[in-house]
Amino acid sequence: MAMLDLDRYTKSRIEQTLSALMGLTIYSGIKTDPVLDELKAMLLAIVSAETGDKGRTGSPSESALLYDLTEKYTRIYTLLLQNTMSDIPDFGEYVLTLVQNDDNPFARTASGQSSGKETDGLAISPEMRLCVIHDLMRIGSIASLPSRVLTAVLAPVTSIPLPEWRHSSADQPPVTMYESLLTYHREKSFGVFSKYHAFIWKSNTLEPVERPDPIRLDQLFEYEYEINQVLENTRRLIGRRHADNLLLFGARGTGKSSAVKAVANTLTDQGLRLIEVDKDELLTIADLLAYLSELSGVGLSFILFLDDLSFAEDDTRYTILKTLLEGGVKTRPGHVAIYATSNRRHLVAEK
């Protein structure tokens, strides 16, 4: 393998960043992110080349290696551009966003704490707190990696300067980051639920809705009584009091779906999430309920939204829904309710 001649600072910074990436524990999930995965591959290649045997038979030339590393760098930069709103991507901000949206035991535990507790609430053990802070030290090292460290390595084969990123958001002390994350998870929840509030259950997977219907309650009028019933029931759901499953029925276009979506939009900040389930996905709804049951302690409540629902007499999917509503061996969790809309009061077609 070709050998790269790195100066002391460049070598130290690259090894420090690679060590930080490899050492993540609580936040090990962010290593699978495409940007960080590509970065890890590039750093490993540089370290291997720097410590390799120069001129070994079958090894690539130094120029070929540098061209390969250049391609890795441009892929990293392109991915950053695609995921940021700025013409000059901020690598530090990108990494910290990954940390905020990560699904891990600390994030879930913090999400289940009420804002009235002390910063180090009883649910966060001292061991977990220390482990998180150590990870945040590593993340600070990763997020503050200057792009010039990498472009300097590539300089021999890049006659035109490569674009460089910023890392302006990566200078927070680990303890400050820890406090910020606690507050963030209490207010926004964790993982995909911190970024989105509406989802579609499809092929046994929760798919986030990038641009949900922004309908608001103040845009609906002339059926305040019905809306207030939906709103009050949903507040009971959020408060972990007994909440009913609801059926909203009426003529097409009277605002049944809009009422459900408007209530969900109104109560998002109180931990409410809306999951639309198509009638064809009722066969896998038990899997969805099993997953949501695991989230009973994270401070979230869920509406399973079945829109425009109706069944033929011989439709077996109705049996699944009926068992769920009436309570089978597996009952719905207390933080989950089913809201359905239909153009007729009776879901099964009558003769």
Side-chain angles (χ1 to χ4, degrees):
M1 180 175 288
M3 178 177 287
L4 296 179
D5 186 17
L6 306 180
D7 62 66
R8 182 178 299 177
Y9 170 76
T10 301
K11 179 181 178 181
S12 173
R13 199 66 180 84
I14 287 174
E15 290 178 345
Q16 180 185 17
T17 305
L18 187 56
S19 174
L21 267 170
M22 297 300 197
L24 291 173
T25 53
I26 297 292
Y27 288 95
S28 61
I30 70 173
K31 290 190 289 187
T32 61
D33 172 76
V35 170
L36 295 189
D37 186 56
E38 194 71 48
L39 176 63
K40 182 179 71 174
M42 182 177 183
L43 297 179
L44 280 171
I46 293 174
V47 170
S48 297
E50 200 275 334
T51 59
D53 296 326
K54 191 171 184 179
R56 189 170 62 182
T57 304
S59 63
S61 67
E62 183 173 330
S63 294
L65 172 66
L66 289 174
Y67 286 131
D68 180 64
L69 292 175
T70 301
E71 187 176 29
K72 283 182 168 58
Y73 179 85
T74 55
R75 278 201 296 267
I76 293 170
Y77 195 89
T78 300
L79 287 169
L80 284 173
L81 278 178
Q82 292 171 351
N83 286 278
T84 60
M85 301 299 292
S86 174
D87 54 348
I88 302 177
D90 190 319
F91 181 65
E93 182 178 338
Y94 179 84
V95 173
L96 295 183
T97 300
L98 291 179
V99 170
Q100 284 184 332
N101 296 330
D102 190 46
D103 182 353
N104 60 64
F106 164 70
R108 290 194 177 202
T109 304
S111 297
Q113 292 184 314
S114 65
S115 58
K117 292 185 178 180
E118 295 297 324
T119 301
D120 294 322
L122 297 177
I124 306 291
S125 67
E127 293 79 10
M128 178 179 284
R129 180 182 185 276
L130 185 61
C131 194
V132 171
I133 289 177
H134 286 168
D135 256 13
L136 293 177
M137 292 172 66
R138 297 183 182 97
I139 286 164
S141 177
I142 298 164
S144 61
L145 175 67
S147 52
R148 66 177 182 274
V149 169
L150 302 178
T151 56
V153 175
L154 308 175
V157 293
T158 53
S159 57
I160 302 175
L162 291 167
E164 298 195 359
W165 61 64
R166 295 194 297 257
H167 51 85
S168 58
S169 304
D171 55 356
Q172 297 183 53
V175 174
T176 303
M177 290 173 64
Y178 174 82
E179 305 289 349
S180 298
L181 284 170
L182 271 178
T183 302
Y184 177 83
H185 292 311
R186 287 169 179 164
E187 295 177 353
K188 302 292 186 180
S189 193
F190 71 95
V192 70
F193 298 113
S194 66
K195 189 175 181 181
Y196 303 98
H197 73 270
F199 304 84
I200 296 175
W201 177 249
K202 186 175 183 180
S203 303
N204 251 36
T205 304
L206 271 183
E207 297 184 358
V209 179
E210 294 277 354
R211 296 179 178 83
D213 187 345
I215 186 73
R216 304 186 312 273
L217 285 175
D218 59 13
Q219 294 176 289
L220 307 176
F221 52 91
E222 293 189 0
Y223 57 110
E224 287 80 5
Y225 173 75
E226 290 83 356
I227 290 177
N228 286 334
Q229 283 187 307
V230 178
L231 193 57
E232 176 56 31
N233 190 73
T234 309
R235 284 177 174 148
R236 290 202 303 270
L237 176 68
I238 293 171
R240 295 296 199 274
R241 294 173 285 149
H242 177 74
D244 295 313
N245 298 312
L246 298 183
L247 170 64
L248 286 75
F249 63 92
R252 188 179 301 276
T254 51
K256 303 179 296 297
S257 301
S258 295
V260 175
K261 290 184 284 188
V263 167
N265 290 340
T266 299
L267 301 177
T268 293
D269 292 340
Q270 298 182 37
L272 182 66
R273 301 294 182 266
L274 183 70
I275 302 176
E276 185 170 349
V277 181
D278 188 82
K279 186 168 62 174
D280 292 335
E281 300 295 333
L282 285 175
L283 297 174
T284 63
I285 199 169
D287 297 330
L288 174 58
L289 287 172
Y291 170 66
L292 296 180
S293 295
E294 299 174 359
L295 305 182
S296 60
V298 300
L300 292 174
S301 301
F302 299 91
I303 291 175
L304 305 189
F305 182 38
L306 310 178
D307 196 22
D308 197 15
L309 201 59
S310 63
F311 300 94
E313 271 189 309
D314 58 349
D315 195 330
T316 58
R317 292 170 298 185
Y318 172 71
T319 305
I320 297 172
L321 179 60
K322 183 173 182 290
T323 301
L324 177 63
L325 293 175
E326 294 180 350
V329 176
K330 287 187 175 181
T331 59
R332 66 177 175 88
H335 62 298
V336 178
I338 298 173
Y339 287 12
T341 68
S342 179
N343 293 335
R344 53 182 192 238
R345 184 170 183 174
H346 300 286
L347 294 180
V348 178
E350 295 179 312
K351 293 183 180 178

